Structures are given as structure tokens and as C-alpha cells.
């Protein structure tokens, strides 16, 4: 177990337990685990204890890797490996500690975001000013400033994704839906990612499609999600491969696919596409894993879903959005500084 919470010594007398076998669906060992997590049933596929807690809407408490919080609730959770390769997951409700009120956490995030992004924006601004051409620069200095500019842009994007992910986990992600066509958004995605595709020697195309219904979405959020899928595919593409962006009507909504034609992901990697913590530890970097995780949260707040599929000819990431979203599917937009 990780670092405990000093103010949380009282716990439930018995733990909640579930068994994660090497193959097949998880099995409950009593009902306490569901009560601790506020669930009616276990998700059908669980990779780890962190996967279970994330699916239940919990997030890890800073500085205590075995304590998880959700809307004022706090639980301790962990897992034990068994000899046959299965894992025993346990939970314990903390009665002596409460999670920090979400609104207080949102305000804290806003302050942190303002300070960090403000400093990065200043660095970017001065680098861009020096590169404007009004000041003569030696080639080495110019290359250095171009590197600073690229890294500042990357850091700003990562910081935005990080803070948006945390807001989404607190149920306070800012978004504003508007009924609109999806076609211009997808065209913008392909145009925006075309330079990166060319640099990777990959062909990125927007495929034709049947007439699409209007969708009730926050265009910026859904565009970020689709671009996250394109960037994920680009990171894994080999020179000469093709990436197709396509949207098709599906049921009462639209399915958007980002398909890479080429060497497919392994079954294990496909199953972990949206497991951002496990991917980050395995890959020893967080940027892409966090971006794809946020994409899932952005789609889910619209009432949609995401997934990954493979076949012998390639790998497809997809998202679905309803043509119309009822007010019950998501909270109202929250203004963020």
C-alpha cells in the first residue's frame, strides 16, 4: 500500500473484495465493494484497481496513492497478486476523512493553471517576438529560439490537457453545446494535423461519407478529441501508411473513425489505449496517454462513447456522439477562468 492519510484512521470493519482473473470477467466477493464505490454492478472489463476506480469516477488523492476521492467521498483501495496470475482487489471506506469539496479543488486548479500557463505564455511571446525578423539573429540563436517556441507550445498544450482532465474528473469541465454540422469540424482536424502527417511521411485524408445529421456538441471539445485520436495514430504510424478520418451515421447519432491502415496494434495495446495511468507507467511518458484520456472524458460528457478496434489491416479509434443530447446526460457548462 502507498502512503496513508494521517487523519483517516477509522475504516469500515470489512473490506470490499473482487477477483480479477487472468481471463474473463471480474467476480465480486460480497457486495461491500459496490457499496463503497456507489456502483450497482462491476464493469465487464477491468484491467487493474486503478482502472476500476477511474471507471467509478474516483481520482487519486495527491500524496496518497492508495486513497481515492469522488464528490466528497474517500475510499482506500489496492490489489494483491495471486499465484495463478489473478489479482485480488480490495476497497475500504474511510469514515474519518472526507475529500476536499470539489468546488474548492476547482478554484485551486484555476489558480495553478493561471500561474503556470501565464509563465509559459510569456516565454512563448518573447521567443516569437525575437523570431519576428526585426532583430538580426545568428543561425544558432535562431534555431535555439525556434526550439524554445516549439517546446513552449507543447508545454501549453500539455498543461491545458492536464488541467482540463482534472476539471472533468471533478465534474466541472467547461463546455457549451450548439447544434451544428460535423463536416467542417472534421475538415479542420485534417487540415490542422496535415503538417505533422507530412513530417511523419504519412498520408492523412478525410473520407467521403453519407449525409450526416446535425449534432449538439461543443465543437472545440469534439475537435480536440478527434485530433487526439489522429495524433495517437501518427505516433504509431510508419512512413507510407495512411490515416483515414471518416464519419458515418449510426443509430441516433454519428460515429467518427480515425483509422490507421498499416501494422495493427497488439491486442494488449489496443485494450490499454484509454488506460492513461497504466500506459504512462509502461511508456514512461504521459503526454499522449493523457490527451487520449481527456478525449474520452470530452466525448462522455456529451453522452457519447469511445473505443478501439483492430483487424489484420490496421487499427481504428472511434467515438460516437448523439445527434441530440438531453439535458440529463451532462451538467450545464461551467465557466472557468
Amino acid at each position: 500500500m502507498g502512503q496513508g492519510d494521517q487523519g483517516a484512521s477509522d475504516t469500515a470493519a470489512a473490506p470490499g473484495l473482487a477477483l480479477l482473473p487472468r481471463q474473463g470477467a471480474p467476480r465480486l466477493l460480497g457486495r461491500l465493494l459496490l457499496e463503497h464505490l456507489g456502483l450497482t454492478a462491476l464493469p465487464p472489463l477491468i484491467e487493474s484497481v486503478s482502472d476500476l476506480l477511474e471507471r467509478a469516477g474516483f481520482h487519486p488523492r495527491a500524496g496518497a496513492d492508495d486513497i481515492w476521492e469522488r464528490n466528497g467521498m474517500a475510499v482506500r483501495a489496492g490489489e494483491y497478486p495471486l499465484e495463478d496470475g489473478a489479482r485480488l482487489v480490495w476497497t475500504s471506506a474511510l469514515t474519518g476523512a472526507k475529500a476536499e469539496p470539489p468546488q474548492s479543488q476547482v478554484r485551486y486548479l484555476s489558480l495553478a493553471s493561471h500561474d503556470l500557463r501565464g509563465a509559459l505564455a510569456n516565454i512563448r511571446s518573447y521567443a516569437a517576438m525575437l523570431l519576428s525578423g526585426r532583430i538580426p539573429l545568428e543561425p544558432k540563436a535562431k534555431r535555439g529560439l525556434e526550439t524554445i517556441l516549439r517546446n513552449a507550445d507543447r508545454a501549453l498544450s500539455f498543461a491545458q490537457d492536464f488541467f482540463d482532465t482534472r476539471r472533468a474528473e471533478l465534474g466541472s469541465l467547461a463546455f457549451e453545446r450548439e447544434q451544428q454540422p460535423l463536416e467542417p469540424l472534421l475538415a479542420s482536424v485534417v487540415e490542422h494535423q496535415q503538417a505533422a502527417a507530412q513530417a511523419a511521411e504519412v498520408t492523412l485524408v478525410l473520407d467521403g461519407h453519407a449525409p450526416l445529421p446535425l449534432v449538439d456538441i461543443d465543437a472545440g471539445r469534439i475537435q480536440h478529441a478527434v485530433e487526439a485520436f489522429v495524433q495517437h495514430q501518427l505516433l504509431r504510424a510508419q512512413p507510407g501508411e495512411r490515416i483515414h478520418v471518416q464519419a458515418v451515421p449510426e443509430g441516433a447519432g454519428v460515429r467518427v473513425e480515425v483509422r490507421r491502415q498499416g501494422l495493427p496494434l497488439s491486442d494488449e495495446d489496443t485494450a490499454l489505449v484509454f488506460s492513461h495511468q497504466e500506459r504512462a507507467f509502461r511508456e514512461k511518458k504521459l503526454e499522449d496517454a493523457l490527451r487520449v484520456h481527456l478525449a474520452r472524458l470530452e466525448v462522455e460528457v456529451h453522452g457519447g462513447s469511445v473505443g478501439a478496434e483492430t483487424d489484420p489491416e490496421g487499427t481504428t479509434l472511434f467515438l460516437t456522439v448523439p445527434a441530440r443530447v438531453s439535458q440529463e446526460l451532462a451538467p450545464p457548462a461551467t465557466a472557468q477562468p
Side-chain angles (χ1 to χ4, degrees):
M1 283 192 275
Q3 178 182 351
D5 182 72
Q6 297 297 323
S9 57
D10 294 328
T11 60
L17 298 172
L19 182 68
L20 304 187
R22 291 181 61 189
Q23 295 181 337
R27 297 204 305 270
L28 272 177
L29 304 177
R31 302 287 299 178
L32 271 177
L33 183 140
L34 296 182
E35 294 177 11
H36 293 163
L37 302 184
L39 299 175
T40 58
L42 285 176
L45 296 175
I46 302 172
E47 300 290 338
S48 62
V49 65
S50 60
D51 187 24
L52 170 61
L53 272 291
E54 288 173 4
R55 288 170 181 262
F58 285 80
H59 58 271
R61 176 180 291 181
D65 56 11
D66 62 348
I67 296 180
W68 295 70
E69 301 173 335
R70 183 190 70 193
N71 298 335
M73 296 172 56
V75 299
R76 181 172 276 119
E79 62 182 35
Y80 293 110
L82 303 178
E83 291 182 359
D84 63 354
R87 283 172 287 178
L88 183 68
V89 170
W90 60 268
T91 60
S92 181
L94 295 176
T95 59
K98 292 184 179 179
E100 185 181 357
Q103 196 55 41
S104 175
Q105 295 184 47
V106 172
R107 291 197 299 269
Y108 184 84
L109 284 173
S110 296
L111 290 172
S113 175
H114 177 271
D115 289 352
L116 177 60
R117 297 182 75 250
L120 290 170
N122 279 337
I123 293 171
R124 188 198 188 286
S125 177
Y126 281 111
M129 181 184 70
L130 292 170
L131 285 168
S132 65
R134 288 175 291 181
I135 300 174
L137 295 171
E138 295 181 357
K140 186 175 181 179
K142 184 178 180 181
R143 290 193 300 272
L145 287 168
E146 289 170 344
T147 301
I148 291 172
L149 192 63
R150 284 196 304 273
N151 282 305
D153 284 339
R154 183 174 175 179
L156 282 166
S157 178
F158 176 80
Q160 185 69 54
D161 287 350
F162 180 86
F163 287 110
D164 277 354
T165 295
R166 193 69 184 90
R167 290 186 178 108
E169 291 168 347
L170 293 170
S172 297
L173 182 66
F175 75 106
E176 186 172 349
R177 292 191 295 261
E178 180 181 353
Q179 198 171 57
Q180 57 195 290
L182 197 55
E183 291 89 342
L185 183 152
L186 299 179
S188 179
V189 167
V190 172
E191 181 181 2
H192 193 219
Q193 294 298 320
Q194 201 61 245
Q198 291 173 359
E201 300 180 38
V202 172
T203 302
L204 174 63
V205 296
L206 176 61
D207 290 343
H209 49 73
L212 300 175
L214 295 178
V215 288
D216 201 19
I217 60 171
D218 182 311
R221 293 293 177 194
I222 298 302
Q223 178 166 339
H224 174 274
V226 180
E227 290 201 28
F229 288 3
V230 172
Q231 289 171 297
H232 178 83
Q233 298 284 40
L234 281 172
L235 285 173
R236 285 149 184 79
Q238 300 297 316
E241 291 186 349
R242 297 174 65 87
I243 295 176
H244 296 262
V245 178
Q246 183 179 29
V248 294
E250 183 178 77
V254 177
R255 171 176 163 127
V256 179
E257 299 179 347
V258 179
R259 175 172 175 78
R260 177 172 58 83
Q261 287 186 285
L263 184 67
L265 291 180
S266 67
D267 291 342
E268 181 181 12
D269 287 340
T270 302
L272 292 176
V273 167
F274 298 100
S275 299
H276 69 296
Q277 289 191 5
E278 188 160 351
R279 276 190 56 203
F281 292 138
R282 286 182 50 180
E283 299 169 10
K284 295 183 173 55
K285 50 188 175 183
L286 178 58
E287 188 174 9
D288 181 65
L290 181 71
R291 186 165 53 227
V292 173
H293 175 59
L294 175 57
R296 185 184 78 177
L297 297 174
E298 290 173 315
V299 172
E300 289 178 347
V301 82
H302 286 82
S305 61
V306 300
E309 300 170 341
T310 59
D311 58 58
E313 296 180 353
T315 302
T316 300
L317 302 188
F318 67 87
L319 63 87
T320 66
V321 290
R324 290 183 180 274
V325 180
S326 67
Q327 292 301 316
E328 290 77 12
L329 286 175
T334 302
Q336 300 290 347

